[in-house]
Amino acid sequence: MQSLPNRLPRVAAIHDMSGFGRCSLSVILPVLSVMGVQVCPVPTAVLSTHTGGLGEVEFRDLTDYLHPALEHYKRLGLEFDCIYSGFLGSEAQIDHCLEFFSTYPQALSVVDPVMGDHGKPYRTYTPAMRSRMGELARVADLITPNLTEASMLLGQEYPLSPLTRAQAKSLLVRLSELGPHLVVITGVSMATDEIANIGYDRQHNSFWYVPCDYVPVSYPGTGDIYASVLIGSLLTGDSLPMAMDRATRFLEISIKTTFTYATDTRHGVMLEKSLSYLTQRDVLNNYKIL
Ligand code: PXL
């Protein structure tokens, strides 16, 4: 006799908590929760705001919290269906993330290699941290870099001109060769004049393309929201292109809504307005084959 599940999908989210600016755990928690996924935050640092231009940030590193927290979860015999790492506060945290990933080999391992955007590294990301991010990518099932982070992981220049389909596929395949069998790159400017999120599933040798409407602004935290919706979708039964589509549509709605209010972009997207969209579980099909 098959018994009914007695818990929801559960994610350990190893990210920072930024008090203001709508990024990292502040957006990951509501997004995954509203999708019916339990999030256990494992904070890497506490910051007064994100590091994207809001002045001198109060920063408390939590490197020494990570290992004891994991030990406690082991004592409790807690199971996780996904380990999801993102913004890290120090180089040593890479080792702690590796320990989380190796403790839960059955869990979907997701690495958002948060390191930079718009061709530039984030302030707190030292060259040592950037060079070690590849070690995390190696153990991941899924990585979700933006184009800046994809270029950093491959040690190549940020592409200044739009990508052809062949170049986009080559990026995905080379990232997958670092380890992950699922690769999604966000915010790719394509030679077709479209901005798209692109994905690759090595096991099925499938390449996916989800175009998004262009909005002439950029907000912090959108990568965290994208990856969270993607994970929430995958853990609740969507295929990779369906999950990419859901994440893309949700960001489109969030970004367009926020844009109409002409807010300070550093304050992030008005997730509070759009969050309820994620309770809809309609099947989407705006994805294309890359
Ligand atoms: O959204 C990525 C991110 C996460 N955490 C902090 C950040 C950023 C991007 O700027 O500064 C603290």
Side-chain angles (χ1 to χ4, degrees):
M1 192 180 67
Q2 180 76 45
S3 51
L4 294 172
N6 64 356
R7 65 174 180 84
L8 297 172
R10 185 183 293 141
V11 178
I14 314 172
H15 293 253
D16 73 284
M17 174 60 95
S18 287
F20 183 78
R22 298 192 183 96
C23 73
S24 49
L25 287 175
S26 308
V27 298
I28 292 164
L29 278 155
V31 163
L32 280 164
S33 299
V34 83
M35 295 182 81
V37 173
Q38 182 186 2
V39 193
C40 303
V42 183
T44 56
V46 179
L47 293 86
S48 48
T49 69
H50 58 65
T51 62
L54 286 164
E56 201 57 40
V57 176
E58 275 305 313
F59 183 103
R60 299 287 182 277
D61 180 70
L62 289 174
T63 302
D64 64 0
Y65 166 76
L66 302 178
H67 175 75
L70 173 61
E71 288 300 314
H72 187 193
Y73 297 150
K74 289 200 309 205
R75 284 197 301 279
L76 289 172
L78 272 186
E79 290 170 25
F80 290 103
D81 304 291
C82 173
I83 309 291
Y84 164 32
S85 76
F87 180 97
L88 303 178
S90 71
E91 193 192 333
Q93 292 188 353
I94 292 177
D95 294 313
H96 296 308
C97 289
L98 289 169
E99 197 187 3
F100 262 90
F101 287 123
S102 64
T103 303
Y104 297 98
Q106 308 303 330
L108 180 74
S109 49
V110 181
V111 172
D112 188 0
V114 176
M115 289 188 283
D117 207 355
H118 308 293
K120 295 196 211 81
Y122 293 134
R123 282 195 249 169
T124 54
Y125 269 74
T126 60
M129 282 167 87
R130 299 201 306 261
S131 70
R132 288 202 62 201
M133 196 53 97
E135 294 176 41
L136 278 185
R138 196 172 308 141
V139 301
D141 293 305
L142 165 65
I143 58 170
T144 57
N146 59 31
L147 192 54
T148 303
E149 292 152 351
S151 310
M152 286 179 180
L153 281 173
L154 292 173
Q156 66 178 49
E157 288 295 308
Y158 178 69
L160 293 173
S161 27
L163 302 189
T164 62
R165 281 182 59 210
Q167 286 171 324
K169 282 185 168 183
S170 156
L171 261 187
L172 289 166
V173 169
R174 283 181 291 133
L175 284 169
S176 173
E177 281 165 1
L178 299 178
H181 57 95
L182 299 166
V183 178
V184 173
I185 310 177
T186 55
V188 181
S189 190
M190 298 292 297
T192 50
D193 261 357
E194 282 178 319
I195 307 284
N197 299 320
I198 58 174
Y200 175 50
D201 176 343
R202 188 174 65 214
Q203 283 164 339
H204 298 108
N205 194 33
S206 51
F207 292 86
W208 301 102
Y209 179 88
V210 183
C212 25
D213 285 350
Y214 175 69
V215 180
V217 281
S218 163
Y219 298 97
T222 49
D224 303 323
I225 297 171
Y226 183 91
S228 303
V229 179
L230 192 74
I231 290 168
S233 288
L234 292 172
L235 292 181
T236 52
D238 283 346
S239 66
L240 179 67
M242 286 162 69
M244 289 173 61
D245 201 354
R246 200 175 299 289
T248 305
R249 298 285 82 79
F250 180 64
L251 268 180
E252 230 167 49
I253 290 171
S254 306
I255 290 173
K256 284 176 160 179
T257 304
T258 311
F259 184 63
T260 63
Y261 285 84
T263 53
D264 185 332
T265 55
R266 297 172 301 175
H267 298 187
V269 295
M270 289 177 158
L271 196 64
E272 301 80 4
K273 281 254 164 231
S274 50
L275 206 55
S276 61
Y277 170 87
L278 289 173
T279 57
Q280 296 172 29
R281 297 312 306 259
D282 301 352
V283 172
L284 305 173
N285 68 346
N286 297 303
Y287 45 82
K288 298 173 183 167
I289 291 172
L290 175 65

